[in-house]
Each structure stands twice: as C-alpha cells, then as structure tokens.
Amino acid sequence: MREKIKNQINKIPLLRSLKVRIFLLLMVMGMIPSYVTRTALLHNYEERAVNVKISEVSNQFKIIANHLLTYNYLRDTSSEVINAELNQISNLYDGRVLIINSNFKVIKDTYGISEGKTIISEEVVKCFKGENTTYYDDKDGFIEMTIPIMDSVTENRGNEEPAQIKGVLLSSISTDTIALTISILQRKAFVLEVVMTILILVMSLAISQFLILPFKKVTGAINDVKEGFTDEAISVPDYEETQHIVDAFNKVLRRMRTLDNSRQEFVSNVSHELKTPLTSMKVLADSLIMQENVPNELYQEFMTDIAAEIDRENKIINDLLTLVKLDKTDGEVNIETIEINALLELLMKRLRPIARLKNIEVILESNRSVQAEVDEVKITLALSNLVENAIKYNKENGWVRVTLDADHQYFTVMIEDSGMGIPEESLEHIYERFYRVDKSHSREIGGTGLGLAITRNIILMHRGMIQVSSIEKEGTTFLVKIPLTYSK
Ligand code: ADP
C-alpha cells in the first residue's frame, strides 16, 4: 500500500522535488490551523450568542408570564398594558408571541393570524407538562421557545406539589442580528486568512529554498570535483545527512583515485615492458648496421638474439591480451564438468620437456579421482603457470611435486618445488602485474611478470583461493582451492 502511494507520488514530476514537498508541507501545516481556528471561533461565537439571546429572552418572557397572571390575561385579553408589553417585546426581538391557554387555544398572537385556533404541538404539550423547550433553527435563523405561565404561588411551593400551568407562551424570535455579526466576522476572517495565506506562501517558499541549499552545495561540490579531480575531500557539514552523502562520495572518490593511479602505473609498466625488447633489438640492429663487413656468424648470432626479443615481445603482448580479456569478460566462463586428474596429467606431459632441460623431476600425486565444474581452458592456464614457475625458478636436478586432493566441497592442487624460494617481503607482491622478484633473472628465463596475475584472476573467477608459502633457497609451495560446483 505504502509502495503504491509512493509510486503514485513519484509519477507526478513536480512532487519528486524535495523543495516542492517541503513547500507543500509548510503550506498545509500553516493553513490547517488557521482554517480550524476560524471555523471553531465562529462556531463558538454563534453558540454563545444564541445561548445569551435565549437566556435574555426567556427572562423577559418569564416576567411577562407573571404579568399575564396578574392581569388575568388568560381570561381577558383586553388589557392594554399587557398587549403593549407583548407588542413591544415582539418588536424588540423581531419575533412573534403566542399565548395559549389550557385548552390549547391561541388567545393572543402578536401577528394576529392564529388567534382562536387550537395548537396541540409537541412543544406546547411538553410545556404543559412542565418542560421548557427551546429550539434553534440556524438555517431559517430563528429561536423557538415555550415558557409556562405558572401560578406564582404554586410555583413557589417547589417540588412538593406539581406546579399548575395555566397556559403557555410560545414565541419565535429572529436571530438575524447574530447571522449578521457572523457574516461580518466571516468576511474579516476571510481577509485575515488571505493575508495569512500570502504570508505563509512567501515564508514557505523562502524556508523551502533555504532548507534545500545544503543539497545544492553538495551538487556544486561534486560538480567541482568532476571538473578538477583534485586530491582534497569535499565537506558539506550543514546537515548530518549532507555530510553522510559527501562522506560516501569521498569514499568513491578515493577508490577512483586509487584506480586511476594503478591504471596509470599499469600503462607506464606496459610501455616500459614493451620498450625493453624493442631497445634490445634496436641496439642489436644498429651495431650490425654500423659495422662494415660483418662476418656471417655475427649476423647469425645477432639475428638469433633479435628473433628471441621478438618472441619475448610477442609473449608479453599475448599475456597482456589474456589479462585484458579476463578483466573484460569477468564472469563469462565456459563451465563444464571436467576430470581434474586427466587435466593435470596432460598438463604435466606438456611441461615435462622443459623440466628435462634442467633435469628436474616432476611428480603428480592424485589422492582421489576428482570431477569438478570448471572452465577447462582457463584452469589449465592457471595451473600451467604455477607448475611452469615451479620448474623455471628451480635449481638443476631439483623436483616439482603436484598433489591433487578433494573433500566434499573443494578440490585442492598443491604445487611444491625445491627451487630458490621467494623472499618474505616479496610474497605480498607476486600477484601484481609485472612484479618480479629478480627482474633480470626472470627476463633471462622468459618471464613477463604477468603469469601469477593471470592465475589469480582465473582462480577468483571460479570463487576459489590461492595461498603461497616459501622459504628462500629451499622452495615454494602454492596451494589452490576451488569449489567442485561452480556458482556465479
Ligand atoms: P614471471 O613471468 O616473471 O614468472 P609471474 O607472475 O609468474 O611472473 O611470477 C612473478 C614472480 O614471482 C616471478 O618473477 C618470480 O620472481 C616469483 N615466483 C613465482 N613463482 C615462483 C616459484 N615457484 N619460486 C620462486 N619464485 C617464484
């Protein structure tokens, strides 16, 4: 339900603005009290004015009722004093007075219309029973009331004996004066309300504009950063909320700067790495050009070196392309259920010739048969890099042992070697692009510094992990752990 209302509100373009919402809220909050106050006051006034009128008129009529008895008016309506009194009071209150005797007969009507008629209305009957009635008709603007004409002696006896009601004074008086006052008040209230509305409107506009200012500052500060990309963090401490926003933005900014720095570093590393083989080729070629009558053997030797440098350049470019592809197609993997034992056997078979050059013994130990959901090409590349490193950074007559194992959730591949090991301070850097412990040695044996970065990328893609432990001059152990079932 709340969602529905929210969606509906968001569909109105104007209501999507916080400023408009604050403005409307202030307007409503300003207008409602003024409307309620006006209505309540006018209603209160009307009620009070009617009550005052009723009590005033009923007192007057009570006095007249007494006079009626004194002058025995119920039997003889010729008394001029009473008639004058009745006319005067009906003129004064702009009303009509009827005197009804105990036979329900109208003996006097100040309008002179109903005299002699019989009136048996509810009010009159009630009044004869001792109940005074008053009725206010606000639509037609009159008050109707009945006053009993009681024997004053009987009346004074109180409740001991029922009062003897000799007749009823039925009157209706106009409330036009009250209505007039109300309409004047209403007009004044309306003018006041219009003035207040204008005041509230102006204030709401100003306040909503003012309250929104810090958010404008946030936008301005963010826009400035977009243009300048300076190092400093932005701050808009006007509200806690705006500070939260800019804090979050600063965090993103820091991450972007770090990314930008590492991108720049990567680009400069790539340029440097690509330039090194080119410089070698240039030196080799120049020295051939500058010499005259170069012997054939020297040509042969230099050209062989140039070809080696071209191979190296090619390898760097290929590794870079692999890395870029892995980055770009993050998550795009070709998953199949693969027998890892067979995969490792094939991999070892391919690498054995390189190991043989240094007379290194390569051993594969499969503790159990393992089937797992992996991208065959990528996992082969990742594990090849590790076994190749174990051979490359090994000593003559050394050994490399690859052990495959699994539990119900993961399979593990451990690659141990008897090589030169990795210094402790280098361990945290080996997965960085182009990082090599010994640059010249690595170059000699054809390393690009990209192998472990590629390997780590592939393993993370499979939601796996890689660990390394090493003792210098003794050897290195890499442990790869990958889930048997692939999850995105
Ligand atoms: P490279 O192409 O230079 O081998 P890698 O990313 O594969 O690059 O490895 C990074 C560096 O880590 C290597 O240059 C090497 O110094 C070190 N390294 C990797 N594996 C081993 C290992 N098994 N034994 C000793 N050093 C290793």
Side-chain angles (χ1 to χ4, degrees):
M1 185 69 188
R2 255 177 67 193
E3 276 301 304
K4 231 175 162 180
I5 295 172
K6 229 164 105 182
N7 283 345
Q8 286 297 331
I9 288 176
N10 282 339
K11 264 189 206 156
I12 307 169
L14 212 62
L15 281 185
R16 296 192 53 180
S17 150
L18 179 62
K19 196 168 99 180
V20 173
R21 285 190 194 190
I22 293 175
F23 169 75
L24 289 179
L25 201 73
L26 289 174
M27 277 298 284
V28 171
M29 276 168 56
M31 294 304 296
I32 285 179
S34 99
Y35 174 77
V36 170
T37 313
R38 174 175 62 92
T39 319
L41 275 179
L42 285 176
H43 185 73
N44 217 300
Y45 167 77
E46 187 180 6
E47 207 177 278
R48 228 187 115 55
V50 168
N51 283 339
V52 166
K53 189 123 194 168
I54 287 173
S55 83
E56 188 186 316
V57 174
S58 78
N59 279 338
Q60 294 270 359
F61 280 134
K62 269 181 193 158
I63 295 168
I64 290 180
N66 276 334
H67 287 180
L68 290 177
L69 283 175
T70 320
Y71 285 84
N72 209 4
Y73 192 81
L74 289 174
R75 283 208 194 95
D76 177 10
T77 57
S78 62
S79 165
E80 278 190 20
V81 182
I82 299 292
N83 281 338
E85 212 172 337
L86 286 173
N87 281 337
Q88 192 191 4
I89 203 159
S90 54
N91 281 341
L92 180 68
Y93 292 116
D94 189 13
R96 179 182 181 184
V97 181
L98 280 88
I99 313 281
I100 298 154
N101 69 11
S102 50
N103 298 328
F104 296 98
K105 206 165 174 192
V106 179
I107 55 163
K108 172 74 182 168
D109 176 1
T110 50
Y111 278 19
I113 305 169
S114 304
E115 273 167 17
K117 285 187 185 161
T118 305
I119 292 186
I120 313 180
S121 72
E122 196 185 336
E123 288 83 15
V124 175
V125 174
K126 267 188 187 167
C127 190
F128 271 114
K129 282 184 184 161
E131 211 178 304
N132 286 7
T133 58
T134 47
Y135 164 72
Y136 169 50
D137 186 330
D138 60 342
K139 277 202 193 85
D140 296 325
F142 68 88
I143 301 169
E144 198 177 79
M145 60 171 96
T146 54
I147 309 280
I149 304 168
M150 262 187 286
D151 201 334
S152 60
V153 187
T154 324
E155 195 180 14
N156 284 345
R157 278 188 215 140
N159 288 335
E160 288 165 22
E161 230 177 84
Q164 220 194 331
I165 297 165
K166 306 262 165 122
V168 168
L169 199 153
L170 174 68
S171 77
S172 69
I173 52 163
S174 152
T175 52
D176 281 355
T177 47
I178 297 175
L180 189 71
T181 317
I182 287 176
S183 84
I184 291 170
L185 284 177
Q186 231 158 5
R187 219 173 309 136
K188 283 190 176 167
F190 177 73
V191 174
L192 212 75
E193 223 169 48
V194 170
V195 173
M196 282 214 0
T197 308
I198 294 170
L199 219 81
I200 291 170
L201 190 112
V202 172
M203 272 170 60
S204 304
L205 262 178
I207 293 174
S208 58
Q209 187 80 18
F210 175 74
L211 288 180
I212 220 77
L213 266 184
F215 290 99
K216 282 194 174 158
K217 266 200 217 166
V218 171
T219 317
I222 291 175
N223 277 337
D224 285 350
V225 169
K226 217 165 56 187
E227 280 153 25
F229 209 70
T230 50
D231 256 356
E232 63 211 66
I234 58 170
S235 165
V236 182
D238 304 40
Y239 295 145
E240 222 170 90
E241 287 80 359
T242 51
Q243 195 53 41
H244 285 329
I245 295 174
V246 293
D247 283 350
F249 178 74
N250 283 335
K251 231 185 253 171
V252 175
L253 204 63
R254 269 200 299 277
R255 218 176 302 147
M256 271 165 57
R257 281 180 192 134
T258 318
L259 261 172
D260 193 57
N261 285 345
S262 77
R263 189 182 57 87
Q264 275 178 14
E265 199 184 300
F266 180 65
V267 171
S268 83
N269 278 343
V270 169
S271 324
H272 178 78
E273 294 296 331
L274 290 179
K275 257 175 85 177
T276 318
L278 281 179
T279 317
S280 306
M281 283 187 255
K282 172 90 172 131
V283 171
L284 289 166
D286 277 351
S287 57
L288 282 183
I289 293 165
M290 272 169 5
Q291 285 182 47
E292 272 173 40
N293 302 325
V294 186
N296 245 352
E297 300 82 58
L298 204 65
Y299 252 115
Q300 198 79 36
E301 194 192 325
F302 278 26
M303 285 315 258
T304 313
D305 288 348
I306 288 176
E309 291 299 333
I310 291 173
D311 284 346
R312 195 178 145 60
E313 183 94 34
N314 229 343
K315 190 167 175 355
I316 297 173
I317 290 171
N318 281 338
D319 278 1
L320 269 173
L321 285 178
T322 310
L323 251 180
V324 171
K325 230 158 88 191
L326 282 176
D327 275 352
K328 213 168 63 181
T329 54
D330 185 21
E332 236 180 69
V333 273
N334 183 18
I335 299 295
E336 282 168 299
T337 304
I338 302 292
E339 212 198 316
I340 306 296
N341 310 63
L343 182 146
L344 279 176
E345 266 161 36
L346 194 73
L347 182 158
M348 303 290 260
K349 198 171 147 197
R350 281 216 312 269
L351 292 177
R352 262 198 191 100
I354 313 173
R356 222 168 281 138
L357 296 177
K358 273 186 175 172
N359 196 25
I360 292 166
E361 189 188 4
V362 184
I363 312 147
L364 171 63
E365 270 179 31
S366 292
N367 287 346
R368 62 188 72 227
S369 155
V370 177
Q371 292 216 329
E373 293 172 8
V374 291
D375 182 321
E376 186 178 9
V377 178
K378 291 195 174 81
I379 280 291
T380 307
L381 177 62
L383 295 174
S384 283
N385 281 344
L386 292 174
V387 180
E388 215 179 307
N389 278 352
I391 297 167
K392 275 194 315 194
Y393 302 102
N394 218 320
K395 56 184 184 212
E396 291 269 342
N397 308 319
W399 53 262
V400 173
R401 184 161 53 238
V402 178
T403 317
L404 172 67
D405 208 342
D407 57 20
H408 61 287
Q409 237 182 329
Y410 295 93
F411 73 88
T412 54
V413 183
M414 189 151 74
I415 300 112
E416 301 165 275
D417 66 55
S418 59
M420 57 179 64
I422 303 167
E424 201 170 341
E425 64 274 13
S426 297
L427 280 177
E428 58 179 313
H429 299 294
I430 51 171
Y431 302 108
E432 289 168 16
R433 291 157 184 199
F434 296 118
Y435 182 84
R436 280 154 293 188
V437 175
D438 180 346
K439 263 200 179 240
S440 58
H441 177 71
S442 170
R443 249 176 72 79
E444 252 171 55
I445 52 179
T448 61
L450 294 172
L452 284 181
I454 293 173
T455 298
R456 198 175 95 102
N457 253 356
I458 293 173
I459 290 168
L460 292 184
M461 235 181 204
H462 284 81
R463 315 279 169 247
M465 54 181 238
I466 179 165
Q467 283 173 347
V468 61
S469 60
S470 182
I471 300 172
E472 261 190 286
K473 299 206 175 69
E474 277 190 24
T476 307
T477 303
F478 277 95
L479 180 71
V480 175
K481 197 170 169 186
I482 288 172
L484 292 170
T485 42
Y486 178 79
S487 62
K488 244 189 178 288

